[in-house]
Amino acid sequence: MMEKFRGLSGIVLRLDALTPRSNVSIKASDGFFVDCPASLSLRTVHNLTYTRDDYPIPKAIEVTWRDDATRYQGQCKYKNDKVLGTATVPVADRIPDAVLDEIRINGGTLRIKIRLVDDGVLIGWDIERIITKENWRPGMYGVIDYPMAGGDFKERRRDENGNYTGWYIDKNGRKIETDY
């Protein structure tokens, strides 16, 4: 696995939830806490960097969410800890080699997206790349582009026609277009 991610020293993480979630903790399979946001929703999104010298991509993550009465104590510890849900999902094995090769050849940063949904956790990925004057094309906005989206979902983005769309993969493996 170390060979698969050679040359990558870190990633960008995007965390959100389809239905609002409180007191969330996200822990890598080796016990390292990735983040502990007080709340996540489609409007309350966490964007952060995740860098580790030994292994930049978690092999798997365990995501836990709790009720509103749970109180955060610091360092990802809780008081009155009432767990409402938990899910463990693989991450590193799912990232395609083609995405990693594209980063090594043309630059950019691997972006891993974690979305909490009613029945679990979705994992997505793409490349975060600064848009320069030379690589701008119609439909791009802002100064960052996110090519090669894959995984279980793609968050809502404006397309070349100015429409906002996203998608997710349902339980039957079908790609469903959505506006969130």
Side-chain angles (χ1 to χ4, degrees), residues 8 11 38 42 56 58 70 73 80 84 86-87 89 92 98 101 108 112 116 134 141 143 153 168 171 173:
L8 298 179
I11 59 175
L42 291 177
T70 299
Q73 297 298 115
N80 304 328
L84 297 178
T86 189
V89 293
D101 291 342
I112 296 183
L116 282 67
E134 295 76 33
Y141 64 100
V143 294
F153 77 101
Y168 68 94
K171 294 291 183 192

Side-chain angles (χ1 to χ4, degrees), residues 12 16 40 64 68 74 87 97 105 122 129-130 134 143 146 152:
V12 172
D16 69 21
L40 289 174
T64 303
D68 290 334
D97 290 338
I105 294 166
L122 303 178
R129 187 176 287 149
I130 302 295
E134 295 76 33
V143 294
Y146 300 100
D152 301 324

Side-chain angles (χ1 to χ4, degrees), residues 31-168:
F32 179 84
F33 278 97
V34 175
D35 196 19
C36 296
S39 65
L40 289 174
S41 70
L42 291 177
R43 297 176 77 93
T44 308
V45 176
H46 281 226
N47 290 293
L48 57 144
T49 58
Y50 178 81
T51 58
R52 294 186 62 189
D53 293 334
D54 56 344
Y55 195 76
I57 313 299
K59 291 179 184 177
I61 56 168
E62 178 185 74
V63 181
T64 303
W65 54 98
R66 298 161 176 84
D67 74 352
D68 290 334
T70 299
R71 293 292 171 243
Y72 185 69
Q73 297 298 115
Q75 299 179 341
C76 291
K77 293 181 180 154
Y78 298 87
K79 183 177 180 182
N80 304 328
D81 192 5
K82 183 172 180 194
V83 172
L84 297 178
T86 189
T88 300
V89 293
V91 179
D93 286 344
R94 297 193 56 205
I95 309 300
D97 290 338
V99 171
L100 303 174
D101 291 342
E102 173 66 19
I103 292 168
R104 287 185 196 103
I105 294 166
N106 294 309
T109 302
L110 177 63
R111 189 170 74 129
I112 296 183
K113 305 175 292 185
I114 301 168
R115 174 170 285 171
L116 282 67
V117 293
D118 292 338
D119 57 353
V121 175
L122 303 178
I123 299 293
W125 56 80
D126 55 30
I127 299 170
E128 183 174 293
R129 187 176 287 149
I130 302 295
I131 299 171
T132 63
K133 197 184 279 189
E134 295 76 33
N135 67 12
W136 183 88
R137 63 185 187 281
M140 289 182 165
Y141 64 100
V143 294
I144 300 176
D145 190 24
Y146 300 100
M148 297 187 77
D152 301 324
F153 77 101
K154 177 183 175 192
E155 76 278 14
R156 183 180 115 142
R157 291 258 174 239
R158 187 169 61 187
D159 65 16
E160 303 83 36
N161 301 317
N163 300 316
Y164 286 91
T165 60
W167 52 261
Y168 68 94

